[in-house]
Amino acid sequence: MRSILNIALNTFRESVRSKILYTIFAFALLIIIAAALFGTVSIGDQVVVIKNFGIFAVSIFSVAYAVISGSSLLAKELQHRTIYTVLSRPVYRWQFLLGKYLGMLLTVTTMILVMGSGLSLFVNAISGSFPSSLMPAFLFIWLELVIVCAFAIFFSSIVVTPLLGGLFTFGIFLSGRSAQYLLYFVTS
């Protein structure tokens, strides 16, 4: 259990140092600011537009990070040959993969907490009340990312290139988001 925790914390530290993470945070911040601009020119309620754009930004950018980072996670380990030193110790392969998964999940959870807190504070500054209706949305985004991270690690471990792993993971995400439309076409 200790080796899984060490691998997870090491994966989290590597992910926090990643330039991809900071880029995604910057894009999410830009989308939230753009939501404020769209909210001022909208006919409806400005707060609703900001909430919708914000939830979209948190969801899509955290999924993008999970797909990009997860698909290249094991490839980087193989490329830098750090996997050999880890697996030469008394660590099983399933422990290594579980540690990588938990570290990636910890990173994505931190992303959701940071972006969700920023969005909540922004909506609170605009509306004057705390948006408790956003909390279930963040919970479901996290549950979605639990599945996306699992598939990213899975495809990263069985596919040769990170590009294919990323495409397969994004395909799973897209099919999950499109399930209601697929069911509609099947039943009609």
Side-chain angles (χ1 to χ4, degrees):
M1 188 66 180
R2 182 137 177 96
S3 59
I4 295 172
L5 183 65
N6 287 337
I7 292 169
L9 290 176
N10 190 29
T11 303
F12 176 72
R13 278 188 229 114
E14 286 175 12
S15 297
V16 167
R17 287 186 231 133
S18 173
K19 293 177 185 175
I20 297 169
L21 184 68
Y22 297 120
T23 305
I24 287 177
F25 275 137
F27 276 118
L29 182 66
L30 285 173
I31 292 293
I32 292 172
I33 291 170
L37 295 175
F38 283 124
T40 58
V41 296
S42 68
I43 296 172
D45 190 15
Q46 177 184 8
V47 176
V48 172
V49 172
I50 292 171
K51 283 182 185 179
N52 289 339
F53 266 93
I55 289 171
F56 167 75
V58 170
S59 174
I60 203 70
F61 287 119
S62 55
V63 166
Y65 177 77
V67 168
I68 292 168
S69 176
S71 63
S72 65
L73 197 63
L74 295 179
K76 280 194 283 186
E77 293 285 338
L78 287 170
Q79 184 181 21
H80 295 122
R81 300 179 197 263
T82 55
I83 193 169
Y84 301 124
T85 58
V86 173
L87 292 179
S88 67
R89 297 172 191 231
V91 175
Y92 295 106
R93 285 178 174 86
W94 68 268
Q95 290 174 327
F96 181 75
L97 290 176
L98 183 62
K100 287 291 183 184
Y101 170 71
L102 292 176
M104 196 166 123
L105 200 59
L106 182 62
T107 305
V108 170
T109 303
T110 305
M111 283 180 63
I112 291 173
L113 288 173
V114 169
M115 288 191 290
S117 299
L119 178 62
S120 298
L121 290 173
F122 188 64
V123 170
N124 187 19
I126 298 288
S127 69
S129 65
F130 185 75
S132 61
S133 62
L134 292 177
M135 297 312 138
F138 296 141
L139 174 68
F140 286 119
I141 290 170
W142 182 79
L143 289 174
E144 176 183 61
L145 284 168
V146 166
I147 297 168
V148 169
C149 288
F151 275 107
I153 293 292
F154 172 71
F155 287 128
S156 178
S157 66
I158 65 169
V159 177
V160 177
T161 63
L163 179 65
L164 279 177
L167 287 174
F168 290 157
T169 305
F170 186 72
I172 293 290
F173 164 73
L174 200 59
S175 64
R177 280 282 178 103
S178 309
Q180 65 185 3
Y181 302 116
L182 294 173
L183 288 175
Y184 172 74
F185 289 127
V186 168
T187 58
S188 62

